[in-house]
């Protein structure tokens, strides 16, 4: 297998690297330098017509895109340790939290990145007022998630799961673009310290 991706701080490729590290799965990594437009090159578009990373290429040439979908494939190939749950309730709960993290936190942070960050100014037409308006949404999401973390160790409960991987990748990206966890979010900060101490966090 080959994983086509970008280096940190790109959050979506990092999700898969974190997942691979937790699973102990080794794959060949192929760097796709996005700032040079390699993800839009014709040869890469044959692997993902949307021109996005990551992409997992299987040994038979089949390509899987979308970070969560890649992780679900890897979970099915190597079930242990289970990161998407094993019972119907665990699976649904973890999936719920992945969706919540994506919609409540990743969405506003992504809009800040696209429309209010200088690194992306040359890549698209920015609507800076819109981008800046998402800081309030991100702040609300951080405080909501902090309240949710008051009585549990990890995003989906008492075990580290794929939901923590998804959250860590976007929280760290938020810090990179100047939208870190607020200082008064003590529960969320404690979670971040816990998951950042795991060996996989270096991925």
């Amino acid at each position: 297998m080959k994983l086509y991706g970008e280096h940190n701080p790109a959050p979506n490729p990092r999700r898969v690297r974190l997942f691979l590290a937790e699973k102990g799965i080794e794959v060949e990594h192929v760097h796709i330098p996005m700032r040079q437009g390699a993800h839009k090159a014709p040869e890469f578009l044959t692997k993902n017509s949307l021109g996005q990373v990551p992409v997992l290429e299987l040994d038979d040439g089949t390509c899987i895109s979308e970070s969560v979908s890649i992780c679900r494939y890897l979970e099915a190939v190597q079930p242990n340790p289970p990161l998407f749950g094993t019972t119907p309730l665990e699976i649904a709960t973890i999936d719920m939290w992945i969706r919540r993290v994506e919609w409540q936190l990743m969405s506003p942070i992504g809009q800040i990145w696209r429309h209010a960050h200088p690194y992306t100014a040359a890549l698209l037409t920015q609507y800076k007022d819109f981008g800046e308006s998402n800081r309030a949404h991100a702040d609300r999401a951080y405080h909501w998630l902090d309240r949710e973390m008051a009585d549990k160790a990890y995003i989906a409960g008492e075990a580290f799961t794929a939901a923590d991987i998804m959250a860590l990748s976007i929280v760290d990206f938020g810090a990179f673009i100047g939208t870190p966890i607020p200082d008064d979010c003590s529960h969320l900060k404690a979670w971040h310290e816990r998951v950042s101490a795991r060996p996989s966090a270096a991925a």
Side-chain angles (χ1 to χ4, degrees):
M1 292 187 292
K2 295 181 182 179
L3 180 66
Y4 296 83
E6 177 58 287
H7 299 325
N8 288 339
N12 290 323
R14 187 182 178 214
R15 288 178 169 194
V16 179
R17 293 197 303 273
L18 288 164
F19 197 90
L20 287 166
E22 288 286 339
K23 287 284 189 179
I25 300 173
E26 294 186 3
V27 302
E28 180 183 349
H29 291 268
V30 181
H31 180 218
I32 303 297
M34 296 179 70
R35 296 189 74 175
Q36 282 73 53
H39 58 309
K40 302 298 184 183
E43 59 270 26
F44 184 76
L45 291 174
T46 64
K47 303 181 187 301
N48 182 355
S49 60
L50 292 175
Q52 298 171 341
V53 291
V55 170
L56 182 69
E57 185 174 22
L58 307 185
D59 293 341
D60 66 357
T62 300
C63 291
I64 304 170
S65 303
E66 307 302 334
S67 58
V68 175
S69 301
I70 293 170
C71 291
R72 288 191 181 280
Y73 172 81
L74 296 169
E75 176 95 341
V77 169
Q78 183 168 309
N80 292 311
L83 296 174
F84 280 101
T86 57
T87 69
L89 179 57
E90 287 174 350
I91 292 168
T93 300
I94 292 165
D95 192 66
M96 175 186 76
W97 279 105
I98 289 171
R99 298 292 288 165
R100 283 179 159 186
V101 167
E102 288 180 329
W103 284 106
Q104 300 301 319
L105 190 58
M106 187 174 183
S107 181
I109 286 176
Q111 297 299 350
I112 295 166
W113 167 245
R114 287 174 60 82
H115 290 287
H117 200 280
Y119 282 8
T120 55
L123 303 178
L124 72 159
T125 300
Q126 288 188 322
Y127 297 92
K128 291 189 176 181
D129 288 346
F130 169 69
E132 291 295 339
S133 74
N134 277 275
R135 295 190 188 279
H137 295 294
D139 184 73
R140 284 194 292 271
Y142 276 131
H143 283 90
W144 161 75
L145 191 53
D146 181 68
R147 293 190 297 272
E148 293 287 334
M149 295 301 299
D151 58 355
K152 57 186 179 181
Y154 296 102
I155 296 293
E158 295 308 308
F160 181 90
T161 70
D164 297 283
I165 289 174
M166 307 311 162
L168 179 61
S169 65
I170 193 57
V171 166
D172 284 349
F173 185 69
F176 170 75
I177 67 169
T179 311
I181 298 172
D183 289 338
D184 60 345
C185 291
S186 59
H187 305 300
L188 191 55
K189 279 183 168 288
W191 162 84
H192 185 259
E193 184 175 347
R194 275 193 298 278
V195 294
S196 296
R198 298 176 73 89
S200 63

